[in-house]
């Protein structure tokens, strides 16, 4: 089971405290628009606080009523007799800026704006939303929403949603859909075990964004796992930073909607969210150690598993089963999820053989084959034996435990209860997670209820149980590698390169290719030598310099971005005569293509020998900031979209994992008689690119396309750097 | 809701009746090894029959007891006073052959062999299993199992499993895992609606295989959907044929284990099943109209949906929702499942606008945005409006219907019940399926219970609901296209080709490439002209014949299979001199490579111009018989395994669908400035290959690798035919 280590607890204590505690754990709450009409939110919030036995001050604010639900009401915020930590604003959108000004005067710390009708509805709403933000900033009031479903903090007995039957517990939930909360609450109520700590609907995130809420949940001692339903991030870059820190302390589970164009459109009309590429978002979240779930019905099972179980050291799972079919299915799902069936040691198999019937299968998945029919507690013994195997990272019970007494004989109930106690004891004693799937889970027999009460989750779906095992393994590996692999530091900027950026900025252009190549070379990237000819008369000398090597010739012009389209590229040239012919052809073709183009000359560089084509691209994503993309060239990027993304700066682990992630990984290992390429050189290249981008904020985009990867090293064939005009202006 | 048409009913009536009815719907049952010990199967089966009020004769057979559980027992089968349709054999493996001989003498029609210890345990068990089959065949007894969990037929009140609380209903289930049955039964019990008709565990399928059981379920009038958990098929070819017929009558749902190597190993140790390629199996099953589910927790939801709802005409779904988050998730899942959000007509949007609040979103997914908060029955009106839209094939309600009265106000229960009645009425009136997801499904509120009772399934998972919608759409499209697209007929075999097969057979070799090309050409496949030079002196004439065309030269030898490896291929040759040089090089290189090789000469053919490389391969799969594979060449097949499979013969629809199925489909449409290729020509080629393989049983394997696909047609660059020695012998 999960234990917070002393180091982790210390990290929580010593970190800078989020200002959100002041009003997400409030000692006084004003309800603006409190109401006696049961259909109104101003009524429901009152009821939620009163029925929930909230211990702080409740201040209904109503222009006319003297009391609401037996609580003394006040005509305005100014009239309240004490300070207010949190204001719940239940009034229509148009009233909100004025009320926030009042809140500011009163010293209210945070306000929840329930109304919709802001930026999710169009330009007029967006104007009103800006007014909300201005009023809040002016008065020093932090804003939850607008267009939010509200919040609760059950350990503080603050329930502004009037949700019945929500159990206080370990799961913190931040969701851009109130119905998603409702769905999880109903599922949890039904499963009878999981509870919630704090819920917030960030709505349009006009002031407080997901990153702020995540930091709060990371610090909240009552939250064991932070769970998020996200339609769109406002400040993705900051979110990634907070996620990187928070996952060191506790698990973070994210379901991100917008996996498809259809989903992105739906999200946009719902919360006005601008969602970026889904694949990129998933990669970046995982880089930070976030457990990303991709099916909505996996959110609660995975959150529950991460809350209750401790992480696994790795991905080697031992399956103990009392039935063939489910063990077969589990084997398929584990392999698909990237987990492996742990090879059991000889000692383990010997110990299993001692207690099982001869027909049992001792190879993982272990099938007890009837050995437990008369003694279900035997399953716990098997689990203990495999848990003690060095080769095993996590233990998975698959079958009908809990149902023996109904399936076989009523007198087996005692054995089942003993088995449950032994499993609880094992879970306490071992440092490996014990995940239980039972086909009897839907009917909640006594042994499974006992496990659940003791904090051992029992899953009714093999698929969900496997997702939990995968999340536990990934989390364990992330924590282990995070310590060893720090993000790459930025190198010292090079004076000549800085001068090139300045020149480019002054001339309002991007870097010329030769400048981009110089930039790469200055920071240790292997780039072939090049020469620029600024007139035909320079070709003879360049031809002599390169000798017998075949050369590529490319136009150098600030005005020609797509050199090939302009006829500005000639390949495989040898000797002065060929260079001259090519030069004339390029110049006439480029002049025809772009008559006004300022042509500086041509770049000459030796042809790269054939290798595996790689693409490395960097862009500054509007949501996530600088992001590096890696993939194989050509159809792999353009048709198969087989690429990996990481937020810059990358650690060595990040770089290696992105090389391993692509589906075409096997091509790098050498297929169809090809030799394997030097992936360590590619990892170094990725780290160097990451460092360069960190060092030069002037880089808006950087593309190395293609890079030829070889058995020994690589060659950058084409390099392009787009300058960020704004950044250059600043420097 | 589902209706069996008259044509479908007629197909059931006029088909040849499965012999399995005789004992799967038995009028008399002998229990061999009947027992009074509650832990024994011979006891449980007795209890199941007695408690289930089985109306037929029950004959306990026991060497000593005079009665078992109050039923008169007999010392042997011979002693029984009446005929026996079905014998349940509960005794150990070694006794089974002898008992089956007795069964034969008694005229028993079918026997269930529960014992394990047969081929799943190794060679000795396999020997015993052969003895079982021999005894059964000799006596004319059909065998279920061995190594089976048993069977039930609930409408006949035969329950040989003593499963408590199994409700009789629509789902027939054949499962190589008894625990999978148990799992579905518990899930169904918990959901409170679905019931079962017949269950059989085929076990090792020594006599009766999945194909026989499927035929039986297809004919069984009490089964609305045939559902199968399969670890391995024994006669996959026959299964495909039965599936093709059965899916025309009723839905067939298959979960096939062994998606991974790990799963195949686990299955093999469980039922001794030899599973073929999972991707191939899935493709072939879908070709036959089977609804393949890939997650075990989708089996029951999909089976239930197909049992209760009628198929959709297509894949255009209208979503009606009362909450943004779930609508967003549904949009993502629908798109991922290959379904589309139906574009709603202007008329539909006008009608929706009339009844919804102004803030409602009328674009699919429709979000009523609070319009139903005070009147949940409004949702039913929205569903009716979208169901009446011509652009809509199926209707999907997403949200919190059923929970309004707990979430908002108790007096909304009436509106919810009215809404439920209106939905039931709509489902009856429309020919489009209505699929309902509610986040209140886990707590089963009254309105959802009412829907369920009326035969409308309600799903607790968006993911499961979307799988049901996909299955309904795929089934509708399959039924619509099956009528229009018959499998390609085999052409008349060509005399010269038959002679080539005879010669190859006599010489114990495969076809030479020129013979394979002649075979293709004889049946209308476009193959470039070729010449074979059987000596250097023939090269001059061939050079003159082909003129300026660049030629490929390939060695012709029965002993050299891998021509390139042997240095037996030279490309881009022009004129006699180049041909002579190449000829000498090929001969010396091949002689060095295989000194004993019998070299007949070299084949010369014009070089194909560059196109998109395609691979077409045919093999005779040991499980499924002749199977055609299609994919793009090179890494697409070898690294990405991006291929499609179809059972031969293919219909035009099959051929077209396999071209559309591959992930690299976009490359055929033209990417990176390429023109699109002529996919209709590829479809024709696939159909011709299918016909050729049907016409010549002598073909063991056929490979066209590569085929160049062009804007206009294609060119077969290399053809290889492996001869089936056995088949040639037979002809």
């Amino acid at each position: 089971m999960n234990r917070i280590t002393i180091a982790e607890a210390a990290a929580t204590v010593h970190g800078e405290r989020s200002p959100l505690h002041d009003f997400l754990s409030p000692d006084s709450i004003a309800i603006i628009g409190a109401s006696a009409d049961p259909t109104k939110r101003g009524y429901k919030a009152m009821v939620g606080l009163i029925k929930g036995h909230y211990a702080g001050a409740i201040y209904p604010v109503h222009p006319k009523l003297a009391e609401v639900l037996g609580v003394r009401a006040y005509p305005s915020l100014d009239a309240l007799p004490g300070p207010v930590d949190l204001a719940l604003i239940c009034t229509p959108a148009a009233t909100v800026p004025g009320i926030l000004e009042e809140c500011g005067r009163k010293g209210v710390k945070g306000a929840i704006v329930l109304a919709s009708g802001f930026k999710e509805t169009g330009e007029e709403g967006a104007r009103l939303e800006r007014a909300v933000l201005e009023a809040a900033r002016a008065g020093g009031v932090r804003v939850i929403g607008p267009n939010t479903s509200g919040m609760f903090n059950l350990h503080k007995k603050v329930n502004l949603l009037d949700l019945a039957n929500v159990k206080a517990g370990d799961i913190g939930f931040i969701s851009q859909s109130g119905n998603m909360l409702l769905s999880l609450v109903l599922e949890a109520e039904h499963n009878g075990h999981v509870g919630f700590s704090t819920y917030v609907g960030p709505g349009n995130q006009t002031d407080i964004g997901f990153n702020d809420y995540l930091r709060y949940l990371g610090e909240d001692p009552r939250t064991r796992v932070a769970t998020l339903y996200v339609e769109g991030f406002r400040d993705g870059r900051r979110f990634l930073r907070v996620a990187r820190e928070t996952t060191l302390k506790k698990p973070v589970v994210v379901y991100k909607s917008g996996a498809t164009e259809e989903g992105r459109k739906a999200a946009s009309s719902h919360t006005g969210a601008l969602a970026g590429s889904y694949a990129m978002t998933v990669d970046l979240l995982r880089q930070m150690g976030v457990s990303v779930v991709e099916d909505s019905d996996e959110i609660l099972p995975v959150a529950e598993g991460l809350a209750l179980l401790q992480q696994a050291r790795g991905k080697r799972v031992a399956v103990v089963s009392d039935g063939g079919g489910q063990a077969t299915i589990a084997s398929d799902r584990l392999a698909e999820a990237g987990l492996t069936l742990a090879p059991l040691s000889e000692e383990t198999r010997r110990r299993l053989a001692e207690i099982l019937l001869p027909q049992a299968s001792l190879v993982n998945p272990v099938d007890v084959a009837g050995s437990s029919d008369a003694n279900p507690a035997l399953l716990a013994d098997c689990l203990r034996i495999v848990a003690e195997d060095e080769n095993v990272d996590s233990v998975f019970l698959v079958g009908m435990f809990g149902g023996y007494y109904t399936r076989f004989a009523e007198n087996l109930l005692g054995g089942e209860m003993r088995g449950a106690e032994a499993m609880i004891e094992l879970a306490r004693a071992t440092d490996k997670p014990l995940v239980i799937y039972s086909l009897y889970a839907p009917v909640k027999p006594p042994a499974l209820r006992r496990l659940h009460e003791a904090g051992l989750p029992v899953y009714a779906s093999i698929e969900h149980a496997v997702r939990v095992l995968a999340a536990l393994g990934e989390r364990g590996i992330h924590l282990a590698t995070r310590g060893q692999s720090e993000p790459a530091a930025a190198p010292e900027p090079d004076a000549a390169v800085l001068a090139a950026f300045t020149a480019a900025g002054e001339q309002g252009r991007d870097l010329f290719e030769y400048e981009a190549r110089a930039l790469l070379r200055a920071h240790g990237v292997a780039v072939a030598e090049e020469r620029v000819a600024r007139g035909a008369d320079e070709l003879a000398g360049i031809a002599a310099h390169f000798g017998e090597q075949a050369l590529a010739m490319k136009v150098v012009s600030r005005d020609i971005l797509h050199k090939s389209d302009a006829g500005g590229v000639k390949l495989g040239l040898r000797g002065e005569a060929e260079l001259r012919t090519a030069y004339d052809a390029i110049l006439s073709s480029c002049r025809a293509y772009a008559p006004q183009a300022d042509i500086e000359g041509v770049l000459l560089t030796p042809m790269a020998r054939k290798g595996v084509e790689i693409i490395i691209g960097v862009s500054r994503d509007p949501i996530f900031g600088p992001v590096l993309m890696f993939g194989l060239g050509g159809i792999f990027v353009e048709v198969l979209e087989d690429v990996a993304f990481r937020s810059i700066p990358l650690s060595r682990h990040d770089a290696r994992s992105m090389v391993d992630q692509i589906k075409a990984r096997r091509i790098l290992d050498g297929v169809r008689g090809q030799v394997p390429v030097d992936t360590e050189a590619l990892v170094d290249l990725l780290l160097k690119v990451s460092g360069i981008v960190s060092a030069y904020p002037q880089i808006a985009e950087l593309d190395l396309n293609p890079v030829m990867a070889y058995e020994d090293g690589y060659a950058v064939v084409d390099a392009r750097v787009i300058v960020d005009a704004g950044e250059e202006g600043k420097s």
Side-chain angles (χ1 to χ4, degrees), chain A residues 22 47 89 115 279 402 438 442 451 462 478 542 642 667 730:
Chain A
D22 297 340
V47 168
I89 303 176
S438 171
L451 291 174
I462 295 173
H478 177 80
I542 293 172
D642 179 20
I667 291 176
K730 279 186 236 160

Side-chain angles (χ1 to χ4, degrees), chain A residues 32 52 82 107 117 151 201 277 338 346 418 454 461 482 536 550 580 596 619 642 706 713 727:
Chain A
I32 297 157
M151 64 81 69
S277 143
E346 217 160 300
R418 278 196 308 282
S461 153
R482 262 304 301 278
R580 281 184 180 277
Q596 307 302 322
S619 61
D642 179 20
E727 277 299 330

Side-chain angles (χ1 to χ4, degrees), chain A residues 69-85:
Chain A
L69 288 164
V71 180
R72 177 169 173 196
Y74 300 86
S76 70
L77 277 166
D78 297 331
L80 298 187
V84 174
D85 288 342

